[in-house]
Amino acid sequence: MTHSTEPTKVSILGKENIVVDYNLWGTYIVHDLLTNVPSATYILITDTNLHDKYVPSFEASFSDVVAQRRSNARLLSYQIPPGETSKSRVTKADIEDWLLSDERDPPCDTKSVIIALGGGVIGDMIGLVAATFKRGVRFVQVPTSLLAMVDSSIGGKTAIDTPAGKNLIGAFWQPSKIYIDLNFLNTLPTREFINGMAEVIK
């Protein structure tokens, strides 16, 4: 869906990196990425709960926009199991091994851009992957939960859990863009929405 008006943009660290509106997922984000976060390779990473619902439509939008713009950019996608247990060294290594695999031809490099689609677990985990892969590559956040929209996607906090505790290994790595598509809120269970609102009030 196209926009009749420009989305709301919020400045952070001197740049209008936060974009807020309905119907961002798809064509708008693809155009904005190609224009403002240019790369030959984009890697969309999400969990298995979200993949089938959101990734195929994004792949279709990406193909259409790339063809319209006569761009050579490509989109790769990867999915991990949902939930806090995936926020681990093991999952991080699995993602990195996939990124480094010979099957990625041409290989993912320092100019690649990672797209993190999901809630706080995805944002924390994929942000840390971006902070350490090839000594740091650009990434963008597309938070799908209210809590992630108002907290974990903003500020550059990334981390994984260890047996000793949560968020004990991490880094501060600022996303190049944060796309807050309010349509995602319509899909949240009531309890999850209430938890997010509690964080807003807190």
mmCIF file of all heavy atoms in Angstrom, residues 165-182:
data_model
loop_
_atom_site.group_PDB
_atom_site.id
_atom_site.type_symbol
_atom_site.label_atom_id
_atom_site.label_comp_id
_atom_site.label_asym_id
_atom_site.label_seq_id
_atom_site.Cartn_x
_atom_site.Cartn_y
_atom_site.Cartn_z
ATOM 1 N N GLY A 165 22.980 -16.053 33.308
ATOM 2 C CA GLY A 165 21.964 -15.013 33.400
ATOM 3 C C GLY A 165 21.627 -14.413 32.046
ATOM 4 O O GLY A 165 22.243 -14.747 31.021
ATOM 5 N N LYS A 166 20.659 -13.525 32.057
ATOM 6 C CA LYS A 166 20.168 -12.911 30.828
ATOM 7 C C LYS A 166 20.997 -11.681 30.452
ATOM 8 O O LYS A 166 21.446 -10.926 31.316
ATOM 9 C CB LYS A 166 18.701 -12.500 30.983
ATOM 10 C CG LYS A 166 17.736 -13.672 31.152
ATOM 11 C CD LYS A 166 16.308 -13.197 31.341
ATOM 12 C CE LYS A 166 15.818 -12.419 30.139
ATOM 13 N NZ LYS A 166 14.385 -12.063 30.241
ATOM 14 N N ASN A 167 21.178 -11.497 29.160
ATOM 15 C CA ASN A 167 21.789 -10.278 28.598
ATOM 16 C C ASN A 167 23.199 -10.005 29.133
ATOM 17 O O ASN A 167 23.599 -8.854 29.297
ATOM 18 C CB ASN A 167 20.897 -9.065 28.869
ATOM 19 C CG ASN A 167 19.536 -9.186 28.244
ATOM 20 O OD1 ASN A 167 19.379 -9.763 27.168
ATOM 21 N ND2 ASN A 167 18.522 -8.657 28.912
ATOM 22 N N LEU A 168 23.959 -11.078 29.400
ATOM 23 C CA LEU A 168 25.289 -10.894 29.977
ATOM 24 C C LEU A 168 26.378 -10.733 28.932
ATOM 25 O O LEU A 168 27.490 -10.325 29.259
ATOM 26 C CB LEU A 168 25.625 -12.074 30.905
ATOM 27 C CG LEU A 168 24.743 -12.198 32.154
ATOM 28 C CD1 LEU A 168 25.196 -13.363 33.007
ATOM 29 C CD2 LEU A 168 24.761 -10.904 32.954
ATOM 30 N N ILE A 169 26.089 -11.059 27.685
ATOM 31 C CA ILE A 169 27.043 -10.848 26.602
ATOM 32 C C ILE A 169 26.355 -10.002 25.544
ATOM 33 O O ILE A 169 25.321 -10.395 25.001
ATOM 34 C CB ILE A 169 27.512 -12.182 25.996
ATOM 35 C CG1 ILE A 169 28.256 -13.015 27.044
ATOM 36 C CG2 ILE A 169 28.398 -11.935 24.772
ATOM 37 C CD1 ILE A 169 28.684 -14.374 26.561
ATOM 38 N N GLY A 170 26.899 -8.830 25.279
ATOM 39 C CA GLY A 170 26.233 -7.952 24.324
ATOM 40 C C GLY A 170 27.090 -6.776 23.930
ATOM 41 O O GLY A 170 28.285 -6.718 24.228
ATOM 42 N N ALA A 171 26.467 -5.842 23.252
ATOM 43 C CA ALA A 171 27.161 -4.647 22.777
ATOM 44 C C ALA A 171 26.126 -3.569 22.496
ATOM 45 O O ALA A 171 24.939 -3.862 22.347
ATOM 46 C CB ALA A 171 27.944 -4.955 21.498
ATOM 47 N N PHE A 172 26.586 -2.347 22.442
ATOM 48 C CA PHE A 172 25.744 -1.259 21.960
ATOM 49 C C PHE A 172 26.042 -1.066 20.479
ATOM 50 O O PHE A 172 27.178 -0.773 20.103
ATOM 51 C CB PHE A 172 26.009 0.028 22.752
ATOM 52 C CG PHE A 172 25.380 0.022 24.114
ATOM 53 C CD1 PHE A 172 26.115 -0.343 25.232
ATOM 54 C CD2 PHE A 172 24.042 0.365 24.285
ATOM 55 C CE1 PHE A 172 25.538 -0.367 26.490
ATOM 56 C CE2 PHE A 172 23.455 0.348 25.537
ATOM 57 C CZ PHE A 172 24.207 -0.023 26.647
ATOM 58 N N TRP A 173 25.027 -1.261 19.659
ATOM 59 C CA TRP A 173 25.186 -1.176 18.196
ATOM 60 C C TRP A 173 23.929 -0.548 17.638
ATOM 61 O O TRP A 173 22.875 -1.159 17.633
ATOM 62 C CB TRP A 173 25.439 -2.563 17.623
ATOM 63 C CG TRP A 173 25.893 -2.574 16.191
ATOM 64 C CD1 TRP A 173 25.197 -3.006 15.091
ATOM 65 C CD2 TRP A 173 27.161 -2.147 15.696
ATOM 66 N NE1 TRP A 173 25.950 -2.867 13.953
ATOM 67 C CE2 TRP A 173 27.160 -2.333 14.299
ATOM 68 C CE3 TRP A 173 28.305 -1.597 16.312
ATOM 69 C CZ2 TRP A 173 28.251 -2.007 13.499
ATOM 70 C CZ3 TRP A 173 29.389 -1.270 15.514
ATOM 71 C CH2 TRP A 173 29.354 -1.480 14.131
ATOM 72 N N GLN A 174 24.045 0.686 17.201
ATOM 73 C CA GLN A 174 22.868 1.444 16.787
ATOM 74 C C GLN A 174 22.325 0.969 15.438
ATOM 75 O O GLN A 174 23.081 0.834 14.475
ATOM 76 C CB GLN A 174 23.207 2.938 16.688
ATOM 77 C CG GLN A 174 23.590 3.597 17.997
ATOM 78 C CD GLN A 174 22.427 3.665 18.965
ATOM 79 O OE1 GLN A 174 21.258 3.575 18.566
ATOM 80 N NE2 GLN A 174 22.724 3.839 20.247
ATOM 81 N N PRO A 175 21.034 0.736 15.352
ATOM 82 C CA PRO A 175 20.439 0.410 14.048
ATOM 83 C C PRO A 175 20.459 1.621 13.119
ATOM 84 O O PRO A 175 20.327 2.764 13.563
ATOM 85 C CB PRO A 175 19.001 0.016 14.401
ATOM 86 C CG PRO A 175 18.724 0.686 15.708
ATOM 87 C CD PRO A 175 20.036 0.751 16.436
ATOM 88 N N SER A 176 20.635 1.349 11.842
ATOM 89 C CA SER A 176 20.609 2.432 10.857
ATOM 90 C C SER A 176 19.214 3.008 10.705
ATOM 91 O O SER A 176 19.041 4.197 10.431
ATOM 92 C CB SER A 176 21.104 1.918 9.494
ATOM 93 O OG SER A 176 22.433 1.462 9.576
ATOM 94 N N LYS A 177 18.202 2.156 10.876
ATOM 95 C CA LYS A 177 16.802 2.576 10.809
ATOM 96 C C LYS A 177 15.980 1.719 11.763
ATOM 97 O O LYS A 177 16.293 0.546 12.000
ATOM 98 C CB LYS A 177 16.232 2.405 9.388
ATOM 99 C CG LYS A 177 16.729 3.423 8.369
ATOM 100 C CD LYS A 177 15.932 4.720 8.451
ATOM 101 C CE LYS A 177 16.302 5.660 7.326
ATOM 102 N NZ LYS A 177 15.441 6.862 7.303
ATOM 103 N N ILE A 178 14.898 2.310 12.276
ATOM 104 C CA ILE A 178 13.910 1.566 13.050
ATOM 105 C C ILE A 178 12.553 1.862 12.409
ATOM 106 O O ILE A 178 12.097 3.007 12.424
ATOM 107 C CB ILE A 178 13.902 1.992 14.528
ATOM 108 C CG1 ILE A 178 15.292 1.808 15.153
ATOM 109 C CG2 ILE A 178 12.850 1.197 15.314
ATOM 110 C CD1 ILE A 178 15.444 2.471 16.507
ATOM 111 N N TYR A 179 11.957 0.846 11.831
ATOM 112 C CA TYR A 179 10.662 1.003 11.167
ATOM 113 C C TYR A 179 9.566 0.475 12.086
ATOM 114 O O TYR A 179 9.482 -0.745 12.319
ATOM 115 C CB TYR A 179 10.638 0.250 9.844
ATOM 116 C CG TYR A 179 11.646 0.720 8.833
ATOM 117 C CD1 TYR A 179 12.804 -0.017 8.580
ATOM 118 C CD2 TYR A 179 11.448 1.897 8.117
ATOM 119 C CE1 TYR A 179 13.735 0.405 7.643
ATOM 120 C CE2 TYR A 179 12.370 2.329 7.177
ATOM 121 C CZ TYR A 179 13.513 1.581 6.947
ATOM 122 O OH TYR A 179 14.440 1.996 6.009
ATOM 123 N N ILE A 180 8.740 1.358 12.606
ATOM 124 C CA ILE A 180 7.666 0.975 13.510
ATOM 125 C C ILE A 180 6.358 1.001 12.732
ATOM 126 O O ILE A 180 5.750 2.051 12.534
ATOM 127 C CB ILE A 180 7.616 1.905 14.736
ATOM 128 C CG1 ILE A 180 8.943 1.805 15.512
ATOM 129 C CG2 ILE A 180 6.435 1.560 15.635
ATOM 130 C CD1 ILE A 180 9.036 2.725 16.710
ATOM 131 N N ASP A 181 5.958 -0.180 12.267
ATOM 132 C CA ASP A 181 4.712 -0.320 11.518
ATOM 133 C C ASP A 181 3.608 -0.656 12.518
ATOM 134 O O ASP A 181 3.575 -1.749 13.094
ATOM 135 C CB ASP A 181 4.849 -1.426 10.476
ATOM 136 C CG ASP A 181 3.651 -1.486 9.534
ATOM 137 O OD1 ASP A 181 2.538 -1.068 9.947
ATOM 138 O OD2 ASP A 181 3.823 -1.944 8.389
ATOM 139 N N LEU A 182 2.696 0.279 12.708
ATOM 140 C CA LEU A 182 1.653 0.124 13.725
ATOM 141 C C LEU A 182 0.668 -0.993 13.394
ATOM 142 O O LEU A 182 -0.080 -1.436 14.268
ATOM 143 C CB LEU A 182 0.921 1.457 13.908
ATOM 144 C CG LEU A 182 1.828 2.624 14.359
ATOM 145 C CD1 LEU A 182 1.044 3.920 14.398
ATOM 146 C CD2 LEU A 182 2.450 2.338 15.715
#
